[in-house]
Amino acid sequence: MSLDPAAARYSLDPFVDYVLDEGWQFSEFRDLEPSLTFSRSESGALTFGYVNASYWLRLQVVNPDAVGRRWILELSGLSRAVDRIEAYIPDREGTYRRHLSGDSVPFNQRTIPHHSVLFAVELPAAQPRTLYLKVTTNGTLQLPMTLWEADAYIASEHHDTLLEGMFYGILAIMLFYNGFIYWSVKDHSYLFYVCYLVCVLGFALSIKGVGYEYFWPEQPAWNNKSNLVFAMVGILFVLLFARSFLKTAIYTPRVHQAIGLLMATALLSALGVLFLSHYHAASILSVQYSVSVLVVILAASLALKRGFTAARYYLLAWLSVLLSILLWVLNSANMITSYWVGGYLFQIGTTLQVLLFSFALADRINLMRSEREAALKLQLAHSRRLVSMSEMFERFVPKQFLTKIARSGIENIELGRADVAEVSILFADVRGFTAMSESLQPQELLNFLNAYLQRIDKVIHDHDGFIDKFIGDGVMALFESEQTQLGALNAVQAAIQMQKTVEIYNQHRANSGYPPIRIGVGVNTGEVVYGTVGSQDRMDSTVLGDNVNVAARLQDLTKVLQARVVISEHTLEVVGKGHGLIVREVGDVRVRGRREPVHIYEVLNADTEQDKAAKLHTLSNYRLAYENYRNGRWREAEALWVSCLELHPSDTVVQYLIAQCRTKLS
């Protein structure tokens, strides 16, 4: 390569020959040089990607000028991260002198004490000179080589120093600014962001060689690992910052778990960096960083989509830096051969990210303030309403009545307000409760009632009903639907399920040493009146009407018949066929307080499996007996029911009907 006396700088990469080192000393290499096969970069850039090797580089230079000149050989960009560089440069007399540099070489051994990789080159007039470099590294190898005229280098270095100073200044300002905000508001998002800025600053100082020159010049081992350590710990704080700032536990729970896993791998990787080779550690770092960036971008996108508007600047920050990070990784892996990418893209991307992150945090403060103000207004309005509602709710139970008697608001409830609707009414009662209460202590009795009623209440609510009243051990529940048939079906199914629930509850009681309980349930369907009764000082809600009384009497009849569930004929007609109900016709019974008899049915679905099977076995004879009973053939009916009783002696309904036959015969 022949120099032009008028030029102040040369890019040397296209003129550099290189060969893979096989452990030669300089003298051995010189002896073998004529027989070695050298290569040159086809792209004109000395980029090798991730390597764990040594290379010999050779550059032949001729100074055609009439006088000798002093030049500076600079290896810029990521050359500062190369482990060891040995430069063999001839002096004025042509004697080769060894000069050292690299991030694993003690700083005081550098010929030119500067954070960049610099070597002085003397080129005498009209004489060729051959320069040799041996570079050894375990990581990314990029060697942008420039030959500078001394004054030109000083001017260029002044410009680069100014740009780097601006970059460090922005980082320092953002660090102290956000640190002050954290000290003021105690929001952990700011703490994690400040820690991330510290890592970014440490990484920049390390990768640019400034840290080695000014902060740890006597620690070459740390200098060699510092950029990886800062980068890996920085990933950890990026993930912590993302979880805190984006509220991933609320907006993106699955991504929250993924970030937790990435945090664990980042922590393990940060520890592994101290023991792994630079090559393997850098490879892990690239994968960890790429995956982490994609995950936090996903978290920000989902949070923004789900209404967390503070994520917009956060997302923009990562989108702006994502391209620079990917280009950085591709450049480090030699998939892109660009010194500019390695030298400046990191600062540009990081500066944009830092500024946008700060905007995001400021936007979050504004959002939080707006949310607090809105919440305070809502709380004040809600508190005023609660004062009014608390006074009204003391008078009304249950709340479902409000849709009937307080359609324009609970503030407008009036005494005597009434509404008519067709509903299904369910009454349930514990058999022998009076005797049971006498044998229990007051606290035991209360515990039993609460345990029993909680189970019954759940069944009723599961079938879209609600309890109107607790009457000691009894329950009155209502089932209403836009379709009367659905309300009736829900009531009957709830009655069946209540019996199943009591069976399960009895198992629990048996395990606790208590005897089993039995309940009877009656269901009727018809029009009732919703209304308010009482006085202006104390009101209560209730349902009134003949159909309510019928339901209560049906429950009373379960004690006489010893049946589990009894329903009225009207309820059965409303439910209709095709719902899996199995019933036995019991006939007309007179209920107290009513002139006309009520035709009733026993629901076999509520029985135990054993009883239900036995009743089904005799069902044909039962129905034939009832047909005789209906037509006044008492003896024939009695005989058939006796045959049923022989097959199922504990059938109490059959026992009742046999007694009815004998009464009529006498």
Side-chain angles (χ1 to χ4, degrees):
M1 173 184 173
S2 179
L3 302 182
D4 183 355
R9 66 182 294 273
Y10 293 90
S11 178
L12 304 178
D13 299 18
F15 309 100
V16 175
D17 302 320
Y18 63 89
V19 65
L20 184 66
D21 176 50
E22 296 182 8
W24 305 309
Q25 298 296 322
F26 179 65
S27 58
E28 295 174 322
F29 170 74
R30 291 294 305 278
D31 294 337
L32 294 171
E33 183 179 0
S35 63
L36 297 176
T37 302
F38 285 80
S39 301
R40 283 196 179 182
S41 172
E42 296 179 358
S43 63
L46 293 173
T47 58
F48 299 85
Y50 284 112
V51 300
N52 182 13
S54 298
Y55 288 87
W56 284 96
L57 284 74
R58 181 181 66 186
L59 174 66
Q60 296 175 333
V61 184
V62 177
N63 177 19
D65 201 359
V67 295
R69 299 176 64 183
R70 183 181 177 90
W71 296 77
I72 294 176
L73 175 62
E74 180 193 26
L75 278 70
S76 58
L78 293 180
S79 298
R80 303 175 188 181
V82 173
D83 293 344
R84 182 180 179 87
I85 301 175
E86 300 177 31
Y88 296 88
I89 301 173
D91 58 15
R92 290 180 180 274
E93 288 72 33
T95 302
Y96 279 93
R97 306 290 182 184
R98 188 180 75 159
H99 307 273
L100 297 178
S101 189
D103 68 0
S104 63
V105 175
F107 194 84
N108 57 14
Q109 293 185 17
R110 294 190 177 189
T111 305
I112 299 178
H114 196 275
H115 57 267
S116 297
V117 180
L118 304 176
F119 302 102
V121 178
E122 297 286 344
L123 296 179
Q127 292 186 31
R129 284 287 187 265
T130 302
L131 314 180
Y132 299 94
L133 282 81
K134 181 181 180 181
V135 295
T136 303
T137 196
N138 184 354
T140 301
L141 181 58
Q142 293 188 9
L143 299 169
M145 298 174 62
T146 306
L147 193 63
W148 292 90
E149 189 272 333
D151 291 337
Y153 175 76
I154 293 173
S156 174
E157 203 260 352
H158 175 75
H159 176 266
D160 290 343
T161 301
L162 179 62
L163 292 178
E164 288 189 12
M166 292 174 60
F167 172 70
Y168 294 133
I170 291 173
L171 289 180
I173 291 171
M174 291 296 101
L175 195 155
F176 285 105
Y177 169 75
N178 288 283
F180 176 78
I181 294 180
Y182 168 71
W183 181 78
S184 301
V185 301
K186 298 299 185 294
D187 186 339
H188 284 86
S189 297
Y190 289 93
L191 176 61
F192 296 141
Y193 182 53
V194 167
C195 293
Y196 169 68
L197 288 177
V198 171
C199 293
V200 170
L201 183 59
F203 178 81
L205 292 173
S206 176
I207 204 72
K208 293 298 182 180
V210 177
Y212 198 27
E213 181 177 3
Y214 295 106
F215 297 100
W216 50 83
E218 304 301 324
Q219 304 295 329
W222 162 250
N223 186 62
N224 183 254
K225 297 282 189 179
S226 59
N227 61 328
L228 297 177
V229 173
F230 281 122
M232 197 64 75
V233 176
I235 294 175
L236 180 61
F237 284 112
V238 162
L239 296 171
L240 285 168
F241 176 57
R243 284 175 59 145
S244 176
F245 179 82
L246 297 174
K247 301 179 179 178
T248 54
I250 299 174
Y251 292 100
T252 54
R254 293 186 179 179
V255 178
H256 182 79
Q257 295 176 353
I259 291 177
L261 180 61
L262 286 173
M263 287 169 55
T265 60
L267 185 59
L268 292 175
S269 299
L271 296 174
V273 163
L274 301 175
F275 305 101
L276 295 174
S277 66
H278 196 287
Y279 174 83
H280 292 98
S283 301
I284 293 173
L285 172 64
S286 298
V287 174
Q288 178 82 37
Y289 212 121
S290 300
V291 174
S292 298
V293 169
L294 293 176
V295 170
V296 297
I297 287 177
L298 175 62
S301 302
L302 293 175
L304 183 61
K305 182 179 179 181
R306 293 169 185 175
F308 185 58
T309 57
R312 53 191 174 183
Y313 285 114
Y314 184 95
L315 180 61
L316 184 60
W318 276 114
L319 289 176
S320 66
V321 82
L322 176 61
L323 179 62
S324 63
I325 292 174
L326 292 177
L327 291 175
W328 172 279
V329 172
L330 294 174
N331 185 60
S332 299
N334 204 32
M335 300 176 70
I336 295 178
T337 55
S338 172
Y339 295 147
W340 187 87
V341 170
Y344 298 100
L345 197 60
F346 166 74
Q347 291 96 318
I348 295 173
T350 301
T351 301
L352 286 174
Q353 183 194 47
V354 166
L355 292 175
L356 289 170
F357 273 172
S358 297
F359 292 156
L361 287 166
D363 187 56
R364 185 172 182 234
I365 291 178
N366 292 331
L367 179 62
M368 291 171 62
R369 184 172 57 226
S370 300
E371 289 176 345
R372 287 194 187 101
E373 291 175 354
L376 182 59
K377 292 179 181 178
L378 183 62
Q379 185 177 8
L380 290 173
H382 186 60
S383 297
R384 294 190 185 100
R385 188 167 182 81
L386 279 178
V387 172
S388 175
M389 290 177 64
S390 62
E391 296 173 354
M392 302 301 292
F393 266 108
E394 290 177 0
R395 309 177 187 176
F396 292 94
V397 176
K399 62 183 179 181
Q400 285 87 341
F401 273 96
L402 295 176
T403 60
K404 297 290 184 181
I405 59 178
R407 293 179 179 176
S408 60
I410 62 174
E411 300 85 357
N412 301 316
I413 294 176
E414 298 175 1
L415 183 64
R417 184 69 178 268
D419 193 10
V420 177
E422 185 166 359
V423 300
S424 290
I425 310 101
L426 179 150
F427 275 83
D429 188 67
V430 177
R431 305 269 176 80
F433 177 74
T434 302
M436 178 190 301
S437 62
E438 292 175 355
S439 64
L440 296 176
Q441 296 295 325
Q443 188 61 53
E444 289 179 313
L445 181 62
L446 185 62
N447 293 342
F448 159 72
L449 281 176
N450 286 332
Y452 162 71
L453 293 174
Q454 284 177 5
R455 289 168 168 81
I456 297 304
D457 181 71
K458 183 179 185 306
V459 173
I460 292 169
H461 279 86
D462 288 345
H463 290 81
D464 296 328
F466 64 94
I467 293 177
D468 175 29
K469 287 180 178 61
F470 293 109
I471 312 168
D473 62 304
V475 170
M476 174 183 172
L478 303 177
F479 297 80
E480 184 181 4
S481 174
E482 292 181 358
Q483 299 177 356
T484 306
Q485 184 262 353
L486 180 58
L489 179 61
N490 285 338
V492 176
Q493 290 179 338
I496 295 169
Q497 187 59 42
M498 286 166 67
Q499 294 290 351
K500 306 300 183 184
T501 300
V502 167
E503 290 179 9
I504 298 173
Y505 178 45
N506 280 333
Q507 296 175 8
H508 170 71
R509 287 178 59 80
N511 294 333
S512 302
Y514 291 105
I517 64 169
R518 297 176 61 199
I519 66 171
V521 184
V523 179
N524 184 39
T525 303
E527 282 191 350
V528 298
V529 177
Y530 287 90
T532 54
V533 295
S535 66
Q536 293 294 341
D537 295 328
R538 177 65 181 173
M539 299 181 189
D540 195 6
S541 57
T542 189
V543 289
L544 304 169
D546 179 62
N547 287 300
V548 178
N549 297 330
V550 169
R553 301 310 172 212
L554 292 182
Q555 184 277 130
D556 289 338
L557 282 172
T558 62
K559 301 176 184 178
V560 177
L561 298 172
Q562 292 295 299
R564 289 193 168 200
V565 175
V566 171
I567 63 175
S568 66
E569 184 178 44
H570 183 60
T571 297
L572 183 61
E573 290 173 352
V574 172
V575 170
K577 298 181 179 180
H579 300 290
L581 291 182
I582 306 172
V583 298
R584 292 196 307 188
E585 192 172 5
V586 179
D588 291 336
V589 294
R590 291 195 177 275
V591 297
R592 191 171 47 191
R594 199 170 194 269
R595 293 182 179 180
E596 297 295 327
V598 178
H599 205 69
I600 64 172
Y601 291 78
E602 179 192 18
V603 180
L604 302 187
N605 305 73
D607 286 327
T608 65
E609 292 299 321
Q610 182 179 356
D611 286 343
K612 183 171 72 172
K615 291 179 180 180
L616 287 175
H617 183 63
T618 61
L619 188 57
S620 59
N621 280 347
Y622 179 97
R623 288 176 175 170
L624 182 58
Y626 189 83
E627 187 64 27
N628 286 311
Y629 182 83
R630 186 201 310 272
N631 294 315
R633 296 190 289 270
W634 320 117
R635 240 174 250 290
E636 290 83 350
E638 178 187 7
L640 287 169
W641 272 324
V642 167
S643 67
C644 292
L645 193 61
E646 290 173 352
L647 295 175
H648 187 208
S650 61
D651 193 336
T652 54
V653 173
V654 170
Q655 294 173 6
Y656 169 82
L657 291 171
I658 290 174
Q660 293 296 310
C661 288
R662 291 173 179 172
T663 300
K664 291 182 181 296
L665 287 171
S666 62

